[in-house]
Amino acid sequence: MACLWGLLLITSRGVLEWLTSLPSVSHSKNLWLLTLEAVHSDILLEGYCPLQDPPVADLMKAHKLLGYLKNVIHIGIDVTEGKLVEKDTSMWQLQGEPTVLITLAHIFNYFSPLLCKVYLVEDVLMTFLLSILERGGAVEAHPLIQQLLDLMWLLMEEYEVHECLKQLLMSLLRAYRFSPIIPDLGLQIHYLRLTIAVLKHEKSRKYLLSNVLFDVLRSVVFFYIKSPLRVEEAGLQELIPTTWWPNRFTKEGKENKEVKEESAEERLRRRAYERGCQRLKKRIEVVEGLQVQILKLLLNNKDRGGGEASRYIFLNKFRKFLQENASNRGNLTVLCPPEYMVCFLHRLIAALRSFWDGHKAKTPATVSSEEAYVPPQLFYNGKVDYFDLQRLGGLLSHLKKTLKDDLAAKANVLIDPAELQAVTMDDLDEDEESATSAAQSQRPSAALAIGGALARPGWLSSPTLGRANRFLSTAAVSLMNPRRPLGALEKIKVRTLSVEQRTEEDIEGSHGNEGLLLGKPPEEPDQPITENSLLEVLDGIIMMYNLSVHQQLGKMVGVSDDVNEYAMALKDTEEKISRCPKRRRDIHEELLKSQKVFSEKLNHLSRRLAWINVTIYSKEKMQDIYWLLRVCIRTIEHGDRTGSLFAFMPEFYLSVAMNSYSALKNYFSPVNSMEELPGYEETLMRLAAILAKHFADSRIVGTDIRDSLMQALASYVCYPHSLRAVERIPEEQRISMMKSLLAPYEQRPWAQTNWILVRLWRGCGFGYRYTRLPHLLKTKPEDASLPSLQKPCPSTLLQRHMADLLSSDRDLAPSFLNSVLNQLNWAFSEFIGMIQEIQQAAERLERNFVDSRQLKVCATCFDLSVSLLRVLEMTVTLAPEIFLDWNRPSSELLLRRLAQLLNQVLNRVTAERNLFDRVVNLRLPGLESVDHYPILVAVTGILVRLLVDTDAQGVEHATAVLLADPCFQLRSIQYLLGHAEPSALAAAAPATEKRRFSLHTYTDYISTEELVKVDKMLNHLSEESKQAAATTLPTSEEDLCPICYAHPISAIFRPCSHKSCKACINQHLMNNKDCFFCKATITGVDDFTKPASS
């Protein structure tokens, strides 16, 4: 009953605090408060007891026994004089005096059972150990704790020591995790110092590593610095008395480049705020230093006394930790929280680099941590387990099978052919147990060769992956002696070991065994890198960043965004206060209240932001992520040199390279700038080379990673500094990249490719110098930092490469343009079909809601149509001869197809009171980008280039083809300049005046020179269409092409002699060689002219 009352007290006290924090809004709330206060007073008067009563008897015994222990430590025996003397307890040592040992053994005989109880460990033992460290100084200055641990291992039963240490670490972790944040972080420092003191004891450290730190506890908590829930809790008001926030953004969310000069008051506030941030940073750095010390103890590889060194125990536990987090992505109870992972990553990087550079100092021939990378052989020699993580080339079992010859030739790694024949992928459909037992009964030698390695446990969620790993476990991997020629197949059987089975020798190697570096390819340099174990730690750090760290870095940016939002709201409110009329005191008072609320919120958020900037986005943390980016770049470069073996690299290396760059660019600014990092320009260029080479790499088969590479390259070319990095990569790589971008669009993701080409052109096209569409300028973008909202930054260098490729390669240009025209036809047709459905839904009498997904797809089809038109404009401008030089075999056909599509677009968009007009006027959410301007200026740019900006012969060809198209309407061209036909004007006269579209109204976006060219084009087409109408003879239906009924018959097929126009047969022959009519194979096409007699 007492426990029940205790629980009620705790619950009611929490509810009371919560209700007290709410504003007074109702009488019922006050009644609640009175009731709860009465309950509290009753409970306290009637006698409250906690949920667990302290074990009074055991506590009394434990304190007495601890007192006896202190007395023994405090008093020594003077052998010469035969009396007891007082000694300094801090320097006490167990020297083997029989009397002291017997006394201590007698004490521990009673004390040991008590030290297995968690209450006593926390209240007695931990308190005593903490009191030893309270005297100050470094942990090393208190050897008494090490002596006491020696004593425990000597005088207590092993199971008692194990339980005591487990409970001690659990108590320390709880205390560290739940202690309040005080200004100097003293409590956290206190508990970390005791943790270090315990882990300095070698035998205790190894036991805790093997059985407790990763198995029982979530020890990553020790490396986390929790953010205070309330600013007052951490004393941030005292540390940072003055708050400040930047006013960098306009109302539209764009970064304000024309920032007013900082006033003297603002400068003083900013400097005071920065000083407060520095004070906070120094205090947090103390905690971070202690956390790094813990990891250095766990990574110690010199403590080989009594078994395996700590580092190798840690490696196996760390790998299992990564496996749990990689394989249980949907199980939140198993996953380590991402905020813990962020801190763990930074501390692990600090400890790793310390050991790496320490090894470099002892062995100067090795690589420094600044040049660190993971060698490619780790990805295919089976020494490091990557669980079910995807490789660049697909499933590991498939790679082992298809690349076995390359493994033998380049890395001296052989897959036993007998094993590959015995265990094929077809066999893997059998039940796992029966397959395993059959393999062991039929192939005992194979089972012996792999050392009886167990099949991977049941955490594999995919049956396919389970079968694949079973396939791998039964495939014997062997290595040849590299000093002998490949003909002498003397194989050394190598076991595929699980994490638990690995030893130090398997990792570091010895006596000719290279350990983790087994199977070095010839492209790898002979220079040693570092200790092999550190390479595996580095690999794990990169995997950890991919699992959850990057996601958490992006999440914490939300606080900075909140500060910007409130800063804009406060600025807007202050402007309203200044404009508020004096007679409206009611409005003025409300505005003052709003100003107070926003100011208080900003004061709170700016202090919280200071904490986050120090713990997550500091300059040192930024340098860690930058170091990780450079490690990934070097690893990818080394892997790329191995040729086909590059396919074995896990996908997450490329993901981390892209994501870490994105984090540096988007998450750490404006506090820290990436441009200040050492070697920034070179790193940017090397990453650009990776993106340019691998976005179309045939060795990479995963759809997701290929899309990620494409998106990263598309984002890269949107920003001037990264685009210039692309331009600085070797010319051969630039040309290869452009050739990949110009590959035909069919049967591959082409939208991102098209987007990249458009970004290279944006800023050069007709009326294409805008950042945002004219009709969207008054609206606020959702995210002003999006790549699509960056200022145009065209690349004339890459445009020149594109022009050279299209002009020189006569097969590339037709296939590329044919695919672009096909996709344009599809995208615009889909768009028209969708807006028809949207219009029909809007006109129904009953209330209808258009599906937001349908609106989004509709807007996407429109944007794709515009971008494809811009790519056509780019092509016509850079290489007009592809369309206008009719000596090229496909020029006339391409020009006719282009004219047909342009006329269709113009007719659909410019018709009076048409479907497009009605949908645009609806202004539906989701269709904001659908407007006349973007699509009409793109079409106009193509027409101006064909009909004005070219030589006389080109103008003649383009004009003839455009006018010959049955869909051509001069009215559509007149629409561009706001002209209307007399009939249309007469019909519109009685109606309400409506503003007509005209390019002349967009003088901020279209230059005077461009408008003059449009006028010239309209005049030219008007004259030519009049002449064509006067000279065109009527054509009988018999003389028209039986396929399109738009052009006269002009081609005859061989050998069947059927006829059509040239446009139809040329387009047909691109995909099919059979006759339209008789299905005979067409061997040739001749010109056809109707005989004069007929």
Side-chain angles (χ1 to χ4, degrees):
M1 190 66 184
C3 293
L4 184 62
W5 276 110
L7 180 62
L8 178 60
L9 174 65
I10 294 169
T11 307
S12 60
R13 184 174 293 163
V15 174
L16 181 63
E17 290 177 357
W18 172 66
L19 283 172
T20 309
S21 66
L22 294 177
S24 298
V25 290
S26 67
H27 171 73
S28 59
K29 191 210 76 170
N30 295 328
L31 185 61
W32 254 98
L33 290 176
L34 291 173
T35 305
L36 285 175
E37 285 177 4
V39 169
H40 270 285
S41 62
D42 288 346
I43 292 172
L44 293 175
L45 288 173
E46 303 241 345
Y48 151 76
C49 70
L51 292 179
Q52 179 186 351
D53 289 327
V56 179
D58 286 345
L59 271 175
M60 189 181 299
K61 288 181 189 176
H63 280 296
K64 279 196 173 186
L65 290 166
L66 180 63
Y68 300 153
L69 178 62
K70 288 179 181 178
N71 289 338
V72 173
I73 294 171
H74 184 65
I75 298 172
I77 301 174
D78 189 342
V79 181
T80 56
E81 297 187 12
K83 63 178 182 178
L84 300 177
V85 294
E86 291 189 4
K87 295 178 63 176
D88 182 6
T89 57
S90 63
M91 304 307 293
W92 181 83
Q93 289 185 352
L94 183 62
Q95 296 177 345
E97 296 176 0
T99 307
V100 173
L101 278 175
I102 292 171
T103 306
L104 288 173
H106 189 65
I107 294 172
F108 270 94
N109 185 44
Y110 296 95
F111 203 12
S112 299
L114 298 176
L115 292 181
C116 295
K117 299 180 180 180
V118 59
Y119 201 110
L120 301 178
V121 168
E122 186 168 337
D123 191 71
V124 179
L125 179 62
M126 190 172 86
T127 306
F128 171 54
L129 296 177
L130 286 170
S131 66
I132 296 174
L133 294 174
E134 281 177 355
R135 301 166 190 170
V139 176
E140 292 80 1
H142 303 283
L144 177 59
I145 295 177
Q146 307 297 306
Q147 295 293 320
L148 289 172
L149 289 170
D150 281 337
L151 202 60
M152 290 168 63
W153 281 100
L154 177 67
L155 300 177
M156 293 171 66
E157 295 290 340
E158 195 169 278
Y159 73 89
E160 293 174 333
V161 184
H162 291 173
E163 185 63 23
C164 178
L165 287 173
K166 184 179 82 171
Q167 297 299 343
L168 177 60
L169 259 288
M170 289 177 70
S171 299
L172 280 171
L173 187 136
R174 277 195 302 270
Y176 175 79
R177 182 178 180 183
F178 297 113
S179 294
I181 303 290
I182 58 177
D184 63 351
L185 299 170
L187 294 175
Q188 283 72 23
I189 292 171
H190 208 37
Y191 297 127
L192 287 175
R193 278 164 53 84
L194 180 53
T195 306
I196 291 171
V198 172
L199 291 176
K200 274 184 172 295
H201 189 265
E202 181 180 329
K203 194 171 184 180
S204 301
R205 175 173 68 247
K206 289 184 179 180
Y207 165 72
L208 291 170
L209 253 178
S210 300
N211 301 282
V212 177
L213 287 179
F214 286 92
D215 299 87
V216 178
L217 301 181
R218 185 172 272 170
S219 57
V220 179
V221 174
F222 279 122
F223 311 109
Y224 175 56
I225 303 177
K226 67 177 181 180
S227 178
L229 297 176
R230 297 184 302 275
V231 169
E232 298 81 7
E233 179 188 348
L236 290 182
Q237 288 176 327
E238 293 77 18
L239 275 176
I240 309 173
T242 306
T243 59
W244 172 84
W245 50 86
N247 292 311
R248 301 182 300 109
F249 293 91
T250 62
K251 290 181 183 179
E252 289 75 28
K254 292 291 288 181
E255 192 165 349
N256 191 359
K257 300 295 183 183
E258 300 177 2
V259 181
K260 294 180 181 178
E261 188 174 348
E262 198 175 35
S263 65
E265 183 184 354
E266 287 178 340
R267 190 181 304 110
L268 288 173
R269 280 184 59 203
R270 177 175 58 79
R271 289 176 178 173
Y273 178 74
E274 290 172 351
R275 286 194 297 272
C277 293
Q278 284 299 317
R279 288 193 292 270
L280 176 63
K281 183 179 180 182
K282 287 179 181 177
R283 297 185 179 190
I284 288 179
E285 282 176 347
V286 175
V287 177
E288 292 177 348
L290 293 172
Q291 292 170 334
V292 173
Q293 281 188 48
I294 292 176
L295 277 171
K296 285 182 179 179
L297 289 171
L298 302 183
L299 287 172
N300 184 357
N301 67 334
K302 306 300 181 187
D303 53 347
R304 294 184 177 86
E308 202 172 18
S310 299
R311 180 183 297 179
Y312 306 104
I313 305 173
F314 174 83
L315 273 181
N316 294 336
K317 296 296 181 181
F318 181 47
R319 209 72 194 174
K320 287 188 69 177
F321 167 78
L322 294 174
Q323 176 181 329
E324 290 171 0
N325 283 273
S327 306
N328 294 282
R329 302 300 290 271
N331 188 356
L332 297 179
T333 58
V334 177
L335 292 181
C336 177
E339 58 269 24
Y340 295 178
M341 294 282 259
V342 173
C343 296
F344 186 33
L345 176 110
H346 288 295
R347 310 302 174 267
L348 198 52
I349 288 176
L352 170 70
R353 295 194 67 178
S354 172
F355 278 107
W356 195 302
D357 290 332
H359 183 72
K360 166 71 175 174
K362 295 176 184 176
T363 316
T366 54
V367 173
S368 70
S369 65
E370 281 297 327
E371 299 296 323
Y373 69 95
V374 179
Q377 54 266 44
L378 260 69
F379 308 136
Y380 56 74
N381 65 14
K383 294 290 185 179
V384 177
D385 190 0
Y386 288 101
F387 332 126
D388 55 346
L389 297 177
Q390 190 73 5
R391 307 299 181 105
L392 293 178
L395 200 63
L396 182 60
S397 58
H398 170 72
L399 294 175
K400 289 275 190 180
K401 192 172 182 180
T402 56
L403 298 178
K404 63 180 184 297
D405 293 337
D406 292 333
L407 282 171
K410 295 183 177 181
N412 294 336
V413 175
L414 289 183
I415 307 295
D416 192 339
E419 294 296 334
L420 286 175
Q421 290 172 4
V423 185
T424 63
M425 292 302 289
D426 294 332
D427 299 329
L428 298 177
D429 292 329
E430 300 170 6
D431 181 74
E432 181 171 358
E433 292 182 5
S434 62
T436 306
S437 60
Q440 290 176 350
S441 61
Q442 295 174 15
R443 296 182 296 275
S445 59
L448 186 62
I450 64 172
L454 298 175
R456 186 156 303 166
W459 48 260
L460 283 167
S461 57
S462 167
T464 306
L465 290 169
R467 291 196 299 271
N469 281 283
R470 188 162 68 253
F471 167 69
L472 280 179
S473 67
T474 52
V477 179
S478 59
L479 284 109
M480 294 187 308
N481 189 333
R483 298 181 181 179
R484 300 189 182 184
L486 291 179
L489 295 178
E490 183 180 337
K491 301 173 184 176
I492 304 172
K493 297 294 183 182
V494 176
R495 296 181 297 165
T496 304
L497 299 174
S498 64
V499 171
E500 295 84 355
Q501 291 175 308
R502 295 190 313 168
T503 63
E504 178 180 347
E505 186 176 338
D506 293 317
I507 297 171
E508 299 289 3
S510 64
H511 307 297
N513 172 18
E514 295 176 291
L516 293 184
L517 300 183
L518 210 61
K520 187 181 77 170
E523 296 84 4
E524 272 295 284
D526 293 330
Q527 181 186 11
I529 305 172
T530 187
E531 295 172 286
N532 292 357
S533 51
L534 298 182
L535 293 174
E536 186 173 339
V537 175
L538 176 57
D539 176 79
I541 289 172
I542 296 169
M543 188 189 299
M544 190 161 57
Y545 183 91
N546 182 65
L547 290 176
S548 60
V549 172
H550 179 74
Q551 179 185 2
Q552 181 66 13
L553 289 178
K555 181 180 175 182
M556 297 308 294
V557 176
V559 178
S560 177
D561 294 339
D562 289 343
V563 169
N564 295 328
E565 290 284 343
Y566 278 103
M568 283 191 289
L570 179 62
K571 185 178 178 182
D572 187 44
T573 304
E574 289 172 348
E575 290 175 358
K576 289 177 181 177
I577 291 173
S578 64
R579 296 196 307 267
C580 181
K582 293 183 178 180
R583 65 179 183 276
R584 297 303 306 269
R585 295 186 62 184
D586 54 338
I587 297 177
H588 191 265
E589 288 175 2
E590 290 297 323
L591 289 173
L592 288 176
K593 288 180 183 177
S594 299
Q595 183 187 29
K596 182 181 178 182
V597 170
F598 291 145
S599 297
E600 290 175 353
K601 190 67 176 177
L602 276 169
N603 286 333
H604 169 81
L605 285 175
S606 64
R607 292 187 175 104
R608 185 158 178 248
L609 186 61
W611 182 282
I612 292 172
N613 284 338
V614 170
T615 55
I616 298 177
Y617 298 119
S618 69
K619 186 175 182 180
E620 292 74 19
K621 309 298 185 297
M622 186 181 192
Q623 288 170 344
D624 284 347
I625 305 300
Y626 182 60
W627 180 76
L628 216 55
L629 167 62
R630 289 165 66 92
V631 168
C632 287
I633 289 174
R634 281 188 289 269
T635 301
I636 295 166
E637 289 172 345
H638 279 263
D640 180 40
R641 294 179 198 138
T642 61
S644 59
L645 300 186
F646 179 61
F648 283 95
M649 180 178 287
E651 283 184 354
F652 66 78
Y653 274 86
L654 280 171
S655 298
V656 171
M658 294 182 285
N659 289 335
S660 57
Y661 167 72
S662 173
L664 291 168
K665 181 167 68 72
N666 298 319
Y667 301 158
F668 286 85
S669 61
V671 180
N672 297 291
S673 173
M674 186 180 176
E675 297 171 4
E676 299 172 0
L677 295 168
Y680 159 75
E681 295 290 342
E682 182 204 359
T683 302
L684 217 57
M685 185 192 72
R686 291 168 71 179
L687 181 58
I690 287 172
L691 296 176
K693 181 171 184 179
H694 297 301
F695 83 94
D697 193 338
S698 60
R699 296 171 295 181
I700 302 175
V701 300
T703 305
D704 291 342
I705 191 65
R706 288 175 73 92
D707 286 348
S708 297
L709 286 165
M710 187 78 74
Q711 291 170 14
L713 183 59
S715 174
Y716 224 70
V717 299
C718 290
Y719 300 88
H721 58 283
S722 51
L723 177 60
R724 302 301 165 242
V726 176
E727 293 178 340
R728 290 197 306 273
I729 66 177
E731 182 177 0
E732 182 182 351
Q733 292 185 19
R734 293 197 305 266
I735 294 173
S736 176
M737 177 189 76
M738 293 307 299
K739 195 167 185 177
S740 298
L741 291 172
L742 296 176
Y745 283 179
E746 280 80 5
Q747 314 212 333
R748 71 181 181 92
W750 54 271
Q752 287 290 350
T753 302
N754 197 74
W755 169 250
I756 294 171
L757 292 174
V758 166
R759 286 301 308 190
L760 299 179
W761 178 244
R762 189 172 179 178
C764 297
F766 182 92
Y768 200 38
R769 291 170 290 279
Y770 56 81
T771 301
R772 299 189 68 204
L773 290 169
H775 67 286
L776 295 178
L777 282 181
K778 294 182 181 179
T779 62
K780 179 183 175 182
E782 292 183 4
D783 186 357
S785 63
L786 287 174
S788 57
L789 296 178
Q790 304 309 306
K791 289 185 177 180
C793 51
S795 172
T796 53
L797 176 62
L798 297 178
Q799 289 175 20
R800 190 163 65 247
H801 289 325
M802 177 177 173
D804 293 342
L805 285 168
L806 291 174
S807 301
S808 59
D809 193 334
R810 290 182 173 255
D811 295 327
L812 176 65
S815 60
F816 168 67
L817 288 170
N818 188 51
S819 65
V820 172
L821 292 169
N822 288 341
Q823 300 300 342
L824 175 59
N825 185 37
W826 169 83
F828 191 71
S829 300
E830 287 290 315
F831 169 70
I832 293 298
M834 287 182 182
I835 63 173
Q836 286 175 346
E837 295 177 10
I838 292 169
Q839 174 64 19
Q840 290 169 4
E843 287 179 348
R844 293 193 190 109
L845 294 177
E846 65 271 16
R847 187 167 183 173
N848 289 283
F849 295 95
V850 182
D851 187 3
S852 59
R853 288 177 297 177
Q854 186 181 6
L855 293 174
K856 187 174 182 180
V857 172
C858 180
T860 301
C861 287
F862 179 79
D863 294 339
L864 286 174
S865 301
V866 173
S867 66
L868 288 162
L869 285 167
R870 286 298 184 181
V871 168
L872 288 170
E873 180 195 16
M874 180 183 185
T875 309
V876 170
T877 306
L878 297 176
E881 65 275 10
I882 297 173
F883 294 95
L884 302 177
D885 181 6
W886 285 7
N887 293 322
R888 297 170 72 105
S890 55
S891 293
E892 184 179 356
L893 169 63
L894 290 171
L895 186 58
R896 289 186 187 279
R897 289 197 66 196
L898 177 62
Q900 182 184 15
L901 281 169
L902 294 180
N903 283 326
Q904 287 178 6
V905 173
L906 281 173
N907 293 342
R908 290 284 192 175
V909 176
T910 63
E912 292 292 335
R913 296 183 298 281
N914 67 354
L915 178 65
F916 187 86
D917 268 340
R918 292 198 295 271
V919 171
V920 167
N921 291 332
L922 288 174
R923 293 299 176 194
L924 296 172
L927 292 183
E928 293 88 356
S929 62
V930 178
D931 192 66
H932 292 82
Y933 180 83
I935 196 163
L936 288 181
V937 291
V939 172
T940 306
I942 298 172
L943 292 174
V944 166
R945 183 59 187 156
L946 290 172
L947 299 171
V948 179
D949 293 340
T950 190
D951 56 30
Q953 186 181 15
V955 172
E956 180 184 349
H957 288 166
T959 305
V961 170
L962 192 66
L963 296 179
D965 187 81
C967 298
F968 173 76
Q969 296 180 23
L970 185 62
R971 174 195 57 76
S972 298
I973 308 297
Q974 294 169 338
Y975 181 94
L976 298 174
L977 295 174
H979 301 167
E981 296 175 308
S983 59
L985 288 173
T992 56
E993 282 192 21
K994 178 189 170 187
R995 186 177 177 184
R996 298 184 59 80
F997 176 85
S998 173
L999 295 178
H1000 287 294
T1001 61
Y1002 296 95
T1003 52
D1004 291 340
Y1005 298 88
I1006 303 173
S1007 66
T1008 306
E1009 182 185 357
E1010 288 174 331
L1011 289 171
V1012 169
K1013 290 181 180 180
V1014 178
D1015 282 322
K1016 185 178 179 181
M1017 176 186 72
L1018 178 58
N1019 294 333
H1020 170 72
L1021 287 176
S1022 300
E1023 290 298 322
E1024 291 296 325
S1025 60
K1026 289 177 185 177
Q1027 293 180 16
T1031 57
T1032 302
L1033 297 173
T1035 305
S1036 67
E1037 188 173 336
E1038 295 177 356
D1039 296 332
L1040 290 176
C1041 170
I1043 304 300
C1044 65
Y1045 285 96
H1047 306 293
I1049 293 173
S1050 55
I1052 183 169
F1053 315 156
R1054 300 295 178 208
C1056 61
S1057 299
H1058 285 110
K1059 307 176 188 69
S1060 75
C1061 67
K1062 286 184 178 178
C1064 286
I1065 186 58
N1066 286 341
Q1067 183 174 346
H1068 177 68
L1069 290 176
M1070 283 189 169
N1071 303 309
N1072 202 323
K1073 300 298 182 185
D1074 296 340
C1075 174
F1076 292 113
F1077 308 101
C1078 64
K1079 302 303 179 185
T1081 301
I1082 298 173
T1083 59
V1085 178
D1086 297 333
D1087 292 341
F1088 173 79
T1089 305
K1090 185 177 179 181
S1093 58
S1094 42

